[in-house]
Amino acid sequence: MPDTLTPRAPSLYDKVKTVIPAIEWPVFADDIEAILAWKRERNAVILAHNYQTPEIYHCVSDIVGDSLALAREAAKTDASVIVLAGVHFMAETAKLLNPQKTVLIPDPGAGCSLAASITAEDVRLMRKRYPGVPVITYVNTSAAVKAESDICCTSGNAKKIVESLGVPTVIMLPDEYLAQNVAAETNVKIIAWKGHCEVHERFTAAEIRELRERYPGIVVLAHPECPPEVVAASDFAGSTAAMADYVDRERPGRVVLMTECSMSDNIAASHADIDFVRPCNLCPHMKQITLPKIRAALENMQFEVTIDPAIAANARRAVERMLAI
Ligand code: 13P
Ligand code: SF4
């Protein structure tokens, strides 16, 4: 344990006081102080996804954002160690972009139902079935699946990537709903896979109708992993970063985010004037990441993300092609 603890944690409480009850703070403060000290000791940065809980998102992270921002920032950092507070595919993407650096994930079991829905062999079969059609894989996939694809996309750039290829038809894997939502906005024909996000597939248009009846004037934002009927019933659909930007820019009086629960908490912490209605769904994978596990990751340098060199080069090419667009 380094002896450089600084008493920063008490002042950090101000950032989260509207979303974390005072009685719970002492439980977090010790881990937060230790993590801040370990970060300096290890020359580490913590990249946190928007679905991380407020004490992680606001109190220990260096960079927060959607999958695209995390990939971009991972490519830029000059820290020696990257701790990815998010799910496994995000840590793999960070490692692909930083082969010489140590990338740690606090819980290697933090998966994703989309990443689990498709294998590299499935992609090879799709290529055989649709010869010559380029394959776009969502970043929510394993490195092995990325390695079989031409280019990656995220929810923040999917339409742009589809249209950048200049072809009439593309294969877009594995999120069926993201593919359908993008298809609704472009003339490019999209061949999809049947993968779904277990968090976003549960939202329904009926739920939105009820919310609008109960809260007249409410603004409804949805993630494009939601079924198309949910996106159609919403006022705006976009990546987690796009939803946060929308709230910042438009300042709706009352808003509901059809996405993972921590999103609203994290934005609400800095927007006391906005009423967030929260019929959210938890992502059990994102919630595997906790402050004690981040502390243990830095203390013990665990769990290191490694990628089979036989697939890393091709997977990196697909991610870098995306970042170049
Ligand atoms: P974003 O890229 O929009 O942050 O989405 C990642 C994700 O896992 C959403 O479920
Ligand atoms: Fe995967 Fe859905 Fe969880 Fe995002 S919210 S990590 S897509 S299961």
Side-chain angles (χ1 to χ4, degrees):
M1 176 79 185
D3 57 5
T4 48
L5 280 183
T6 55
R8 282 189 62 204
S11 63
L12 285 172
Y13 183 61
D14 273 352
K15 289 189 177 186
V16 289
K17 65 182 180 207
T18 57
V19 288
I20 296 180
I23 196 161
E24 287 179 21
W25 182 246
V27 177
F28 298 132
D30 180 51
D31 283 330
I32 289 170
E33 287 188 353
I35 289 167
L36 296 177
W38 274 110
K39 273 203 300 185
R40 288 191 294 276
E41 176 89 0
R42 302 286 193 209
N43 185 23
V45 281
I46 298 181
L47 305 189
H49 185 258
N50 289 327
Y51 292 163
Q52 292 298 293
T53 46
E55 68 280 5
I56 295 175
Y57 182 95
H58 286 287
C59 302
V60 298
S61 304
D62 299 284
I63 306 284
V64 294
D66 63 358
S67 316
L68 182 58
L70 296 184
R72 285 207 179 111
E73 294 299 330
K76 278 194 234 156
T77 183
D78 51 14
S80 321
V81 176
I82 297 171
V83 179
L84 204 302
V87 292
H88 195 260
F89 75 81
M90 295 175 177
E92 271 193 337
T93 305
K95 180 66 184 177
L96 285 173
L97 296 167
N98 290 282
Q100 311 307 335
K101 290 189 177 153
T102 303
V103 176
L104 305 175
I105 181 155
D107 187 327
C112 168
S113 67
L114 280 169
S117 73
I118 192 160
T119 65
E121 179 57 17
D122 293 330
V123 186
R124 288 192 286 271
L125 289 172
M126 286 295 272
R127 278 201 190 274
K128 271 195 197 137
R129 191 160 167 202
Y130 300 100
V133 179
V135 175
I136 303 172
T137 50
Y138 195 28
V139 282
N140 298 39
T141 47
S142 65
V145 164
K146 289 184 177 77
E148 296 294 332
S149 69
D150 295 290
I151 188 165
C152 289
C153 75
T154 72
S155 60
N157 62 15
K159 179 176 175 237
K160 200 169 170 184
I161 298 289
V162 164
E163 295 184 341
S164 75
L165 300 183
V167 292
T169 308
V170 300
I171 296 170
M172 194 171 153
L173 311 167
D175 187 347
E176 182 181 30
Y177 296 148
L178 177 70
Q180 290 172 344
N181 287 323
V182 174
E185 293 186 352
T186 177
N187 292 326
V188 180
K189 184 178 171 215
I190 301 183
I191 300 165
W193 186 252
K194 285 260 179 235
H196 297 141
C197 162
E198 67 188 84
V199 175
H200 293 95
E201 70 177 349
R202 305 212 302 266
F203 292 110
T204 64
E207 210 174 341
I208 296 180
R209 280 193 294 276
E210 279 163 31
L211 283 163
R212 290 200 192 277
E213 267 169 38
R214 192 157 163 209
Y215 304 100
I218 192 168
V219 172
V220 182
L221 311 185
H223 193 277
E225 289 170 9
C226 291
E229 56 153 27
V230 172
V231 168
S234 306
D235 298 298
F236 173 83
S239 77
T240 56
M243 285 191 271
D245 288 347
Y246 182 101
V247 174
D248 262 346
R249 194 177 59 242
E250 304 292 334
R251 305 237 154 213
R254 181 175 277 151
V255 65
V256 58
L257 274 51
M258 312 304 279
T259 192
E260 212 274 343
C261 303
S262 291
M263 262 300 285
S264 295
D265 293 340
N266 289 331
I267 308 179
S270 44
H271 292 86
D273 51 325
I274 298 175
D275 180 14
F276 288 82
V277 177
R278 302 176 201 212
C280 57
N281 293 323
L282 276 173
C283 173
H285 311 290
M286 288 282 179
K287 264 54 237 191
Q288 296 296 315
I289 308 300
T290 60
L291 282 180
K293 288 184 195 173
I294 294 174
R295 179 177 180 169
L298 284 162
E299 275 182 20
N300 307 322
M301 294 295 281
Q302 66 191 29
F303 294 90
E304 189 165 353
V305 177
T306 55
I307 300 172
D308 180 350
I311 58 171
N314 279 349
R316 182 177 309 116
R317 185 188 39 79
V319 175
E320 285 178 345
R321 275 192 75 190
M322 168 186 83
L323 293 178
I325 285 175

